Amino acid sequence: MPNIKQIAEAAGVSVTTVSRVLNGHPYVSSAKRAAVEDAVRRLNYSRNMNAVHLIKGITQTIGVILPNINHYYFARIMEGMAQQALKCNYQLMLCQTDYRPNVERKVLEMLRNKQMDGLIICSRALSLNEIETYAAYGPIALCERVSGRNLSSVYIDHYASFQTAIRHLWEQGRRRIAFTISRRNSPSSRSRLQAYADTLAALGGQAREDWVLDGCLDWEDGAALVDRLLAMNERPDALLITGDQVAAGFILTARLRGLEVPNDFAVIGFDNQPISGLLGITTIDNRLSEIGERAFSIVHAQIADGGGTPVSEELGFRFIERSSV
């Protein structure tokens, strides 16, 4: 296999120029870059990336822990990360975990073994205490509020967003308010549960346990909500549905059953997915793509700086009024 010196001779440039082209250095003329790239193709040169990583001490890879890849919520976060990764000439290693602690530990071990330079955790099953023990091996950022730890975070205030939604429903005359969650023990769900209880109590209403509807993640769960509500002796007149796909499934199925939104049920969704605009769903924009962008940028900057102080960054949410309330 040809070496860098032979590439330089074939291209008529210096070894330094070849090295700069191979490493993506910006300060190389277009003519010399083209000559090097042509020589690489003609000589069928391929780099030993393991050797490059050993020399540089970096892999140019950031790992991403996420429970599943095909859900819109995580896809939007990934979109933001991927855009930044392209700009920085970095790769993302997607690690789907299905909230299995042992799988998450395997990814953390990959960070410890220098198979990636840093790690972003979109959602997790492991405790922060366990995750923090790995921060010595590379920067870690989470897409949730974290403070007082050697971990960075990018997040929105789920308590405040839920509070805003409940107050809006109350102002519209809705008093029997229910809400859905996908995973009851997640940090965001715990914040929303607290906001549900606190806000309704402050308004003179009632937070009811039988109106906290768990396990709602996708279209089918939203469709199944219709029968769950119709089977209740006392039904809510408003729903906060944490996910616009779930909200869309509910609204479309309700219409097929002769129910009207918002007359029979007012609906507020979350995430500001494209379907919410098409169906006129009032929703909360969680700025998911921006969370992904910022999480990547924070980890990338800490890799470049060789560490640094953890960053905790809150992004403001947007309440978007449409016709479902």
Side-chain angles (χ1 to χ4, degrees):
M1 188 179 76
N3 56 35
I4 289 180
K5 184 177 179 181
Q6 291 169 315
I7 295 292
E9 291 173 353
V13 299
S14 68
V15 170
T16 300
T17 298
V18 174
S19 178
R20 287 178 174 173
V21 172
L22 293 178
N23 287 294
H25 197 286
Y27 302 113
V28 179
S29 71
S30 57
K32 289 183 177 180
R33 187 180 300 276
V36 171
E37 291 171 348
D38 179 65
V40 165
R41 284 191 295 269
R42 285 189 286 109
L43 298 179
N44 197 27
Y45 171 79
S46 61
R47 305 174 79 189
N48 183 339
M49 293 310 299
N50 288 331
V52 172
H53 295 159
L54 284 172
I55 293 169
K56 289 186 169 185
I58 61 172
T59 64
Q60 286 188 278
T61 299
I62 290 175
V64 182
I65 284 178
L66 71 170
N68 53 69
I69 292 171
N70 64 349
H71 193 269
Y72 181 89
Y73 181 95
F74 299 111
R76 283 287 288 163
I77 293 176
M78 285 303 312
E79 181 183 37
M81 291 184 205
Q83 290 172 351
Q84 292 303 111
L86 280 173
K87 293 178 183 178
C88 298
N89 195 31
Y90 247 72
Q91 301 176 89
L92 296 175
M93 183 186 295
L94 305 189
C95 305
Q96 181 169 291
T97 63
D98 195 29
Y99 288 119
R100 298 178 186 178
N102 285 340
V103 179
E104 293 182 11
R105 288 189 189 100
K106 287 180 181 178
V107 182
L108 288 163
E109 283 295 309
M110 293 172 71
L111 177 66
R112 186 174 71 85
N113 293 324
K114 305 302 182 185
Q115 294 173 264
M116 55 184 68
D117 302 329
L119 181 64
I120 299 170
I121 301 177
C122 298
S123 191
R124 63 185 169 86
L126 291 178
S127 70
L128 291 176
N129 287 338
E130 184 169 356
I131 292 169
E132 190 176 17
T133 63
Y134 287 86
Y137 306 113
I140 301 175
L142 293 92
C143 301
E144 64 181 85
R145 186 201 297 266
V146 177
S147 60
R149 295 180 179 271
N150 191 24
L151 300 167
S152 294
S153 65
V154 185
Y155 61 94
I156 72 155
D157 188 334
H158 288 280
Y159 184 99
S161 69
F162 224 68
Q163 189 176 58
T164 298
I166 292 171
R167 285 177 173 167
H168 181 73
L169 290 170
W170 193 270
E171 289 167 0
Q172 301 303 312
R174 306 292 174 155
R175 297 294 182 264
R176 305 191 308 277
I177 301 172
F179 82 93
T180 76
I181 48 180
S182 61
R183 195 169 61 104
R184 193 182 185 96
N185 64 344
S186 72
S188 61
S189 292
R190 289 196 296 269
S191 293
R192 291 167 177 173
L193 278 164
Q194 192 63 54
Y196 178 63
D198 293 349
T199 309
L200 283 176
L203 292 170
Q206 182 182 12
R208 292 180 44 162
E209 179 62 29
D210 59 329
W211 287 349
V212 178
L213 307 168
D214 201 354
C216 296
L217 183 64
D218 53 29
W219 300 90
E220 291 80 6
D221 299 324
L225 269 177
V226 176
D227 285 332
R228 290 174 71 177
L229 294 178
L230 292 178
M232 292 180 178
N233 291 327
E234 186 177 1
R235 301 172 192 166
D237 60 5
L239 289 166
L240 274 68
I241 300 181
T242 50
D244 288 333
Q245 282 188 339
V246 183
F250 173 80
I251 289 172
L252 293 173
T253 304
R255 288 174 178 172
L256 291 174
R257 301 289 294 275
L259 300 169
E260 294 184 1
V261 174
N263 291 343
D264 294 307
F265 297 101
V267 173
I268 295 179
F270 277 77
D271 305 338
N272 193 29
Q273 301 173 20
I275 191 67
S276 68
L278 292 173
L279 294 181
I281 302 173
T282 295
T283 189
I284 289 177
D285 186 347
N286 290 343
R287 298 175 65 181
L288 298 174
S289 181
E290 292 168 81
I291 287 175
E293 288 178 16
R294 291 301 305 138
F296 179 92
S297 296
I298 287 167
V299 170
H300 182 261
Q302 290 175 335
I303 292 167
D305 294 341
T309 304
V311 175
S312 183
E313 186 172 320
E314 179 181 340
L315 302 182
F317 62 88
R318 291 192 306 132
F319 185 75
I320 300 173
E321 294 186 46
R322 297 193 178 109
S323 60
S324 65
V325 176

